Amino acid sequence: MIMKKVMMTALVAVAPFFYGCGEKTDVVESGTYQGVVEEVEAEKTEIYVKTADDKLLELYFTDKTSLTQNGQTATFDQLKEGSKVEVQVEKVGNRLDPVAVKIME
């Protein structure tokens, strides 16, 4: 019984470490970056963008995020994995808010 409790405690203690290793993202300074969409999570209106300098940005769209393609407003479902994008982000603490996302192709 004691061994079982020790194993459960150890499992709970290391679980956040393993969870955190799955999706390592980076926080960059506010600015404009170009990259490629690595993943689209439509239900969360979230995208992951890999930049040219190998940073992985996790971006949750807000009501204020503008999305355009060829100078015109685009819809979230036009974002696809592998799309080249230019993102303007604002760093808020350890979070990046996408101000503008342009689909480049």
Side-chain angles (χ1 to χ4, degrees), residues 13 31 56 73 76-77 105:
L56 183 60
T73 300
F76 191 82
D77 63 352
E105 53 182 37

Side-chain angles (χ1 to χ4, degrees), residues 52-67:
D53 60 350
D54 209 32
K55 304 273 188 208
L56 183 60
L57 310 181
E58 180 180 26
L59 305 172
Y60 287 94
F61 280 48
T62 69
D63 292 341
K64 297 178 182 173
T65 303
S66 72
L67 177 61

Side-chain angles (χ1 to χ4, degrees), residues 39-92:
E39 184 177 341
V40 176
E41 293 194 17
E43 66 280 355
K44 297 179 185 176
T45 57
E46 175 187 22
I47 61 172
Y48 291 85
V49 175
K50 179 73 89 175
T51 64
D53 60 350
D54 209 32
K55 304 273 188 208
L56 183 60
L57 310 181
E58 180 180 26
L59 305 172
Y60 287 94
F61 280 48
T62 69
D63 292 341
K64 297 178 182 173
T65 303
S66 72
L67 177 61
T68 58
Q69 183 173 25
N70 297 326
Q72 298 192 354
T73 300
T75 58
F76 191 82
D77 63 352
Q78 290 177 265
L79 283 166
K80 307 286 182 210
E81 292 178 12
S83 297
K84 291 183 181 177
V85 292
E86 179 178 279
V87 296
Q88 179 185 355
V89 298
E90 180 177 322
K91 182 180 174 187
V92 181

